[in-house]
Structures are given as C-alpha cells and as structure tokens.
C-alpha cells in the first residue's frame, strides 16, 4: 500500500499537477538555465535567443511573472547618474525602453516627462552639480536649476529649501508589467522555455564547475546557470558556496486616486529618497526610503511608510495635501553594499553567473544589462561596465560609489 502511494505521488508530481498548477515536464539537459523570470532573467534570455541563437535556454521561476520586484516597481527610467558608466548604459537602456512597444507589439505606457531631482543640503547640491556637469559633458541635455526655476517646471512644487535641482526632459516613466510580458513572449517565440512555479533549490557542481540545477520538479543538467533571483540571489549563491554580499530589503510604494494630469516629470529627492510621478491614468505613484526598515524578505505594507511618504510629499508639493491614497504595496530591493550591481561570472565557480544587486534601479537597467549579459554568455567577451561590477571586487576592495540613488 505504501509503495503504491509513493509511485502514484511520483507519477502525479512528474506529470506536473502540483497545488493545482500545471507544470510541463522539464528537459533533462539544456545549454543555459536562467533562474528567475524577472526583468533581468527574461531580458537576458530574450537577447541570448535573439542575437546568439541555437542555444537551448530554460528560464525557471519559483512564482509567477511579475511576482518579484519587476512587477512591483515605480517604472522610473532615467539617464541622470553620477558616473560615466551608468549614464552611458542608461542612455542605451532608455532608447531600448522607448523602442520596446514597437519591437514587442505591446503598449508600455512610455511617458517621457523627464526627471526632476531635488537637493536640500550642501553635500547633495554639490554632488548634483557635479553629476549634471558630467551628464552634459556626455551629451545629455540635463539642466541645473535652483528652486525657483524648478517651480517653473513643476508649478505645484514648494521651492523653499531646495538648494539645487536637475532636470532632464528625456527621462521617462513606464508601466513595468508589459516589459516583463513582452520579454517573456519574445523569448518564447524564439524557442526559450519558461517554467513558472518551479523553485530551484540548488545549483549543482561537478569538479567545482556548474553542472545543473535541482528544482522542486526534478533536476536539469546545464554547464551554465545564471542567478537572476533578484533579492533572493544570495540564497541561490549560497547553495553553491558563493558568498554574495547583497541583502534583501523591503521597499514600499503606493498609488493615489486618479487626478487630472498636471505633473510632467518624476520628482525625486536625493536626501530622503522621496519620489513621485503621475501615471497615464492620473494616479500619483510614489515611495520613499525608510532607513529603519530591517533587512529581510517581508513584503508587508506599513502605516509608518504612509506617514513618512505623506509628510515628505506634502512638504515637496503642498497642493497634494488632501490626496487620497488608494493602494499600497511593497517589493524587495536587492541591496548592494556599494550601491552598484554585481554582474558576470564568479571566478571560483566556472559556469555560474550573477545579475544581482540592482536595488531600486534594476528595471531601467535591464534592457541594456540583459543585452550585454547575453553577449558575455555567448562570446565570453566582457562588455563595459561588467569589469567594474564583477563579484571579485569585494575581495579586491575595488568597490564603487554612485551619488544618484533613490530609496
Ligand atoms: C517598490 C519598488 C520600486 C522600484 N522602483 C524602480 C524604478 O522606478 N525604476 C527601476 O529601474 N527600478 C525600480 N525598482 C527596482 C527594480 O524593480 C528591480 O531592481 C528589478 O525589478 C530587479 O529585477 P530582477 O529580475 O533582478 O528581480 P525580480 O523581479 O525580483 O525577479 C526575481 C525572480 O526570481 C524568482 N526567484 C527567486 N528565487 C528563486 C528560486 N530559488 N528559484 C526560482 N526562482 C526564484 C522570483 O520569484 C522572481 O520572480 C523598484 C523596486 C521596488 C521594490
């Protein structure tokens, strides 16, 4: 009786009926397994299949598409950064976001209203000034303005206390979900297999090199595994003995009732991490950094966030003092110790690749990063800025810094 129960259970599992979710059988072996079907994993799969075909690519996700940070973010896409590498990367990514709707035949609600950054203390005003100088040297049309001029860009803004502001009209806001769906559909059409509700328990090795993955629905052999697990990346890395020093960190966000369109740019404050924009449906979508949020994978919503956000929002934009919040939710940042991503191969584990540590800006970077990572996987060539973003920098002590971080 016990034996027949076991074999019935094994058959039931192998035909994929788990918790009412139909899971197609996994292949025995592929060329590349990408763990995580967020924007990073899917962009990488899509570009690998499109630009470097003839590889068997499998994408596995523990949950559903848009279940991770890629389905929970604010959709901000900007080229305003403080380092040449990030400005260059993000100019390319912005252009790819703009083209995405056309390429993937899906509406992305791409709205190029610009980003207006505000600095309220001397240190940040100085950093902002230097960043604008760099951006202009690199050919961006960013303007450095004072509080009064910032109010000309957003008339509802309270200019008192704003020491410097920067505006780049080319920055944009999108609705994130169509990017996830577009990449997934595009990848599938090119032959990529995407399995949702299939958690990867561990990466397997043979002689120190990657040999496959063990999932909740069986094992798959592969010489290359990409860790695109977002805030869960350190967990998967640990399964193969790799210390990835990024940490999961909850970030809360909310959307208001729809208002008549009035707000052109996304407004962001460098000090407290406040940001807000108006969606094409009229909602004010925004969030704020909360340094007191402990590290961890909780995605709960809090009253404290609402208090912090509304206080900062009303200070920046008093006209919004009677705004009604309709929805709030949270997602996880994959927080990197030096605020820079961790991307590329891991020296001590041949075949194991990272695309982690993107904090509050991975969505906007994914198109350009996915394309570059695909090239690295296909050719072994390390594109800029992956050398600087390498995992080994933590051992070498060559960490980075970036001043234009939100949240
Ligand atoms: C509230 C909020 C606002 C943000 N705003 C912006 C913004 O305006 N602009 C911007 O550019 N970025 C923003 N971000 C950051 C951005 O969303 C992330 O950097 C980006 O989505 C990360 O993508 P990802 O694919 O690495 O991770 P995710 O989208 O989190 O995807 C990781 C996937 O891996 C899967 N997974 C994890 N572990 C396993 C496992 N063991 N086996 C199988 N699958 C697994 C998960 O289910 C998940 O689907 C924001 C983030 C949050 C939370």
């Amino acid at each position: 009786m016990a034996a027949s129960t076991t074999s019935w259970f094994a058959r039931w599992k192998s035909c994929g009926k788990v918790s009412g979710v139909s899971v197609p059988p996994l292949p025995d072996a592929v060329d590349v397994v990408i763990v995580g079907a967020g924007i990073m994993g899917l962009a990488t799969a899509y570009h690998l299949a499109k630009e470097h075909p003839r590889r068997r690519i499998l994408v596995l996700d523990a949950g559903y598409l848009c279940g991770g940070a890629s389905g929970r973010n604010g959709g901000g896409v900007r080229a305003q950064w403080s380092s040449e590498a990030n400005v260059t990367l993000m100019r390319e990514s912005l252009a790819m976001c703009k083209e995405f709707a056309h390429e993937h035949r899906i509406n992305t609600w791409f709205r190029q209203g610009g980003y207006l950054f505000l600095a309220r203390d001397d240190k940040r005003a100085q950093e902002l000034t230097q960043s604008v100088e760099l951006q202009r040297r690199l050919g961006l049309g960013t303007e450095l303005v004072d509080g009064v001029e910032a109010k000309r860009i957003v008339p509802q803004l309270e200019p008192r206390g704003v020491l410097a502001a920067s505006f780049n009209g080319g920055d944009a806001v999108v609705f994130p979900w169509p990017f996830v769906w577009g990449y997934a559909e595009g990848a599938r059409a090119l032959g990529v297999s995407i399995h949702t509700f299939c958690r990867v328990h561990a990466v397997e090795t043979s002689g120190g090199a990657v040999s496959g993955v063990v999932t909740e629905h069986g094992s798959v052999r592969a010489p290359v595994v990409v860790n695109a697990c977002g805030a869960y990346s350190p967990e998967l890395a640990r399964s193969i003995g790799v210390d990835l020093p990024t940490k999961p960190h909850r970030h809360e966000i909310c959307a208001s009732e729809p208002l008549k369109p009035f707000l052109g740019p996304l407004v962001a404050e460098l000090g407290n991490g406040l940001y807000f924009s108006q969606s094409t449906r009229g909602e004010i979508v925004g969030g704020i950094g909360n340094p007191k949020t402990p590290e961890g994978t909780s995605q709960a919503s809090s009253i404290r966030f609402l208090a912090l956000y509304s206080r900062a929002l009303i200070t920046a934009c008093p006209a919004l003092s009677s705004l009604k919040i309709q929805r709030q939710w949270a997602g996880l940042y994959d927080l990197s110790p030096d605020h820079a991503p961790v991307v590329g191969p891991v020296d001590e584990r041949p075949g194991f690749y990272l695309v982690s540590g993107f904090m509050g800006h991975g969505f906007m970077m994914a198109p350009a990063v996915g394309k570059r990572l695909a090239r690295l996987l296909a050719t072994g060539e390390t594109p800029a800025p992956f050398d600087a973003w390498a995992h080994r920098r933590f051992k070498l002590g060559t960490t980075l810094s970036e001043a234009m971080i939100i949240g």
Side-chain angles (χ1 to χ4, degrees):
M1 181 63 193
S4 75
T5 306
T6 308
S7 68
W8 173 85
F9 182 68
R11 273 207 316 277
W12 175 72
K13 267 192 98 173
S14 70
C15 63
K17 299 283 177 201
V18 180
S19 310
V21 177
S22 183
V23 183
L26 290 171
D28 290 332
V30 294
D31 298 310
V32 179
V33 173
I34 296 174
V35 188
I39 193 82
M40 283 298 169
L42 291 171
T44 305
Y46 172 74
H47 285 291
L48 188 57
K50 183 179 168 207
E51 287 146 49
H52 311 278
R54 290 191 300 277
R55 279 176 181 74
R56 295 164 300 164
I57 305 164
L58 175 66
V59 182
L60 301 172
D61 199 287
Y64 55 94
L65 295 187
C66 292
S70 302
R72 296 164 180 264
N73 65 76
V77 184
R78 62 176 156 110
Q80 291 191 64
W81 289 89
S82 72
S83 69
E84 179 168 349
N86 282 345
V87 174
T88 307
L89 183 94
M90 274 313 303
R91 280 173 82 157
E92 182 185 321
S93 222
L94 242 169
M96 290 170 81
C97 288
K98 195 170 184 176
E99 268 306 298
F100 196 93
H102 179 71
E103 183 176 350
H104 293 267
R105 306 258 156 233
I106 192 163
N107 188 358
T108 58
W109 284 273
F110 181 88
R111 197 172 67 77
Q112 213 157 13
Y115 255 61
L116 179 68
F117 273 101
L118 308 177
R120 290 179 188 276
D121 60 70
D122 289 332
K123 179 175 173 278
R124 291 198 173 82
Q126 200 187 345
E127 284 171 353
L128 195 62
T129 307
Q130 284 165 357
S131 300
V132 173
E133 280 166 13
L134 171 88
Q135 291 160 27
R136 291 185 71 84
R137 259 203 320 277
L138 295 171
L140 278 193
T142 315
E143 298 163 58
L144 184 70
V145 297
D146 60 16
V148 176
E149 287 164 321
K151 191 172 166 64
R152 260 185 233 127
I153 299 165
V154 176
Q156 294 76 11
L157 207 70
E158 169 53 64
R160 262 179 304 167
V162 175
L163 299 186
S166 69
F167 177 70
N168 175 31
D171 294 340
V173 175
V174 300
F175 182 42
W177 297 0
F179 283 84
V180 175
W181 297 330
Y183 272 135
E185 282 313 303
R188 278 192 183 113
L190 292 164
V192 173
S193 300
I194 301 173
H195 290 236
T196 50
F197 298 100
C198 184
R199 177 174 300 280
V200 173
H201 292 312
V203 180
E204 288 197 305
T205 54
S206 168
V210 161
S211 60
V213 291
V214 182
T215 85
E216 59 181 313
H217 303 305
S219 298
V220 181
R221 281 179 285 119
V224 171
V225 172
V226 179
N227 180 351
C229 290
Y232 296 91
S233 299
E235 211 174 285
L236 190 73
R238 255 194 312 277
S239 79
I240 195 176
V242 170
D243 177 26
L244 174 60
T246 65
K247 307 271 184 236
H249 211 267
R250 174 172 57 131
H251 187 84
E252 297 185 64
I253 180 168
C254 64
S256 75
E257 61 184 339
L259 303 181
K260 194 170 156 185
F262 74 94
L263 184 59
L266 182 149
V267 180
E269 289 213 18
L270 287 171
N272 59 12
L274 169 76
Y275 63 92
F276 58 99
S277 68
Q278 188 166 29
S279 75
T280 41
R281 290 200 305 199
E283 304 140 321
I284 302 298
V285 178
I288 191 166
N290 180 359
K292 289 197 176 150
T293 305
E295 169 193 320
T297 53
S298 158
Q299 294 189 83
S301 292
S302 72
I303 298 273
R304 183 176 158 73
F305 160 74
L306 284 183
L308 273 177
Y309 174 72
S310 39
R311 215 173 291 140
L313 182 68
I314 295 165
T315 305
C317 196
L320 293 175
S321 61
S322 51
L323 183 71
K324 293 184 186 65
I325 302 297
Q326 264 183 352
R327 292 182 295 125
Q328 73 177 116
W329 66 97
L332 298 174
Y333 275 17
D334 183 21
L335 210 68
S336 162
D338 62 357
H339 296 174
V342 193
V343 180
V346 175
D347 295 338
E348 60 272 27
R349 286 282 180 264
F352 190 53
Y353 290 80
L354 300 166
V355 59
S356 312
F358 283 93
M359 307 194 25
H361 42 262
F363 187 83
M364 65 177 89
M365 290 189 168
V369 168
K371 191 170 175 183
R372 283 163 165 75
L373 183 54
R375 196 191 323 152
L376 169 64
L377 294 172
T379 64
E381 207 184 283
T382 304
F386 287 8
D387 246 346
W389 287 357
H391 176 252
R392 72 179 75 88
R393 77 177 185 271
F394 298 107
K395 267 193 193 146
L396 298 176
T398 52
T399 49
L400 300 165
S401 72
E402 170 58 62
M404 301 204 56
I405 296 287
I406 312 178

